Amino acid sequence: MDITTLLLAGAGAGTAAGLLGIGGGVIIVPVLSLVFIAEGVHPDILIKVAIGTSLATIVITAISSIWMHHRKRAVQWSLVKIMTPGVIAGSLIGAALADLIPGYWLSVAFIVFLCGVSLQMALGTTQGNHELPGPWGLRTISAGVGTVSALMGIGGGALHVPYLSWCGIPVKHSIATAAAIGFPLALASTAGFIVAGMNEENLPAHSIGYVNLPAFGGIVVASILFAPLGAKLAHILPDKLLKRFFAVFLFILAMRMAYDLLTKASG
């Protein structure tokens, strides 16, 4: 397995997690998909292993990122406490659905999602002044975010950050709070993907369910080092230019995944 590619993916994912609150999965899933294609992983489960492994790495990345944001007093823990039950329930539902959906259509859904995230980041997060809903409203929203995030292998920040900002939460606090909510989301999703993949016969070597341990280890090493850097940058740098850079990067990854998918389908 290409360790250099995994380390670079981990560095990019860790920085993105701390800087933008997006969990890193939008980088890890497409990169792992390309790595697993090169490794000859069975196409029916390739995207599922990429997503499950991505979610497992986010568990570790989130811990490092949360600590840096907490030290800046940017995490709104009252919101985290309210939203966590909903995000856990949604994550387990998403993991179960991912096991049932054919790998081809899951790949198509991820490519479309990646293009959407790229567009959102290019346009920027809109600061609003809408009121936050009550506790059950927040839990329902987080359940939806958890379901989509588990299906896409992300930490939920790509959805939570714009929503919290739309509700009037300052962007830096939205990023920090989304990072904190991403920890229970990734933990529950990872458990779901491990259980769902236990009986799969075509898993690559050294996998536990849909989590591949060599890929997990290579990415985590770099992401642990770079997540605090991203969190620091989030508090000292204007993020508009950086978000647009990531938007272009994500769009290129999406197009590469689409090309590989179309090539395999036509072949």
Side-chain angles (χ1 to χ4, degrees):
M1 191 168 289
D2 189 345
I3 188 65
T4 302
T5 300
L6 294 176
L7 290 173
L8 289 173
T15 303
L19 179 63
L20 304 171
I22 62 174
V26 290
I27 295 174
I28 295 171
V29 173
V31 170
L32 281 182
S33 295
L34 300 177
V35 170
F36 289 150
I37 287 172
E39 291 291 315
V41 176
H42 197 286
D44 288 347
I45 64 166
L46 185 150
I47 188 68
K48 299 180 184 183
V49 179
I51 289 173
T53 305
S54 170
L55 289 163
T57 65
I58 292 170
V59 174
I60 308 301
T61 304
I63 295 172
S64 181
S65 179
I66 290 167
W67 173 242
M68 292 303 301
H69 285 300
H70 176 69
R71 290 177 61 187
K72 298 288 185 180
R73 300 182 182 276
V75 180
Q76 296 199 7
W77 289 108
S78 59
L79 287 178
V80 175
K81 182 178 179 180
I82 292 171
M83 299 171 80
T84 292
V87 89
I88 289 175
S91 299
L92 295 174
I93 293 170
L97 289 174
D99 188 44
L100 298 174
I101 297 172
Y104 174 84
W105 292 111
L106 200 57
S107 296
V108 171
F110 185 82
I111 290 168
V112 172
F113 176 79
L114 205 59
C115 290
V117 173
S118 174
L119 181 62
Q120 172 199 301
M121 293 181 73
L123 295 176
T125 301
T126 302
Q127 187 74 31
N129 56 2
H130 302 80
E131 289 188 8
L132 284 167
W136 283 106
L138 285 171
R139 291 183 187 118
T140 300
I141 289 165
S142 278
V145 171
T147 301
V148 173
S149 299
L151 282 168
M152 299 294 107
I154 63 173
L159 301 174
H160 272 139
V161 171
Y163 176 73
L164 292 175
S165 182
W166 182 74
C167 289
I169 307 296
V171 173
K172 295 186 189 303
H173 288 260
S174 296
I175 291 171
T177 304
I181 300 170
F183 174 73
L185 187 161
L187 195 63
S189 299
T190 300
F193 271 83
I194 288 174
V195 172
M198 279 297 188
N199 296 322
E200 177 58 54
E201 297 179 354
N202 298 313
L203 291 171
H206 311 297
S207 295
I208 301 177
Y210 288 125
V211 176
N212 182 258
L213 297 180
F216 167 81
I219 289 173
V220 161
V221 167
S223 66
I224 288 176
L225 297 175
F226 280 83
L229 172 63
K232 288 181 179 178
L233 291 174
H235 290 276
I236 63 176
L237 294 177
D239 57 11
K240 181 179 289 187
L241 183 61
L242 291 167
K243 282 189 175 185
R244 288 177 178 170
F245 169 79
F246 272 108
V248 173
F249 176 69
L250 294 179
F251 183 76
I252 292 171
L253 282 179
M255 293 303 98
R256 176 59 191 274
M257 284 185 71
Y259 173 79
D260 287 331
L261 196 64
L262 289 172
T263 301
K264 281 190 170 292
S266 61

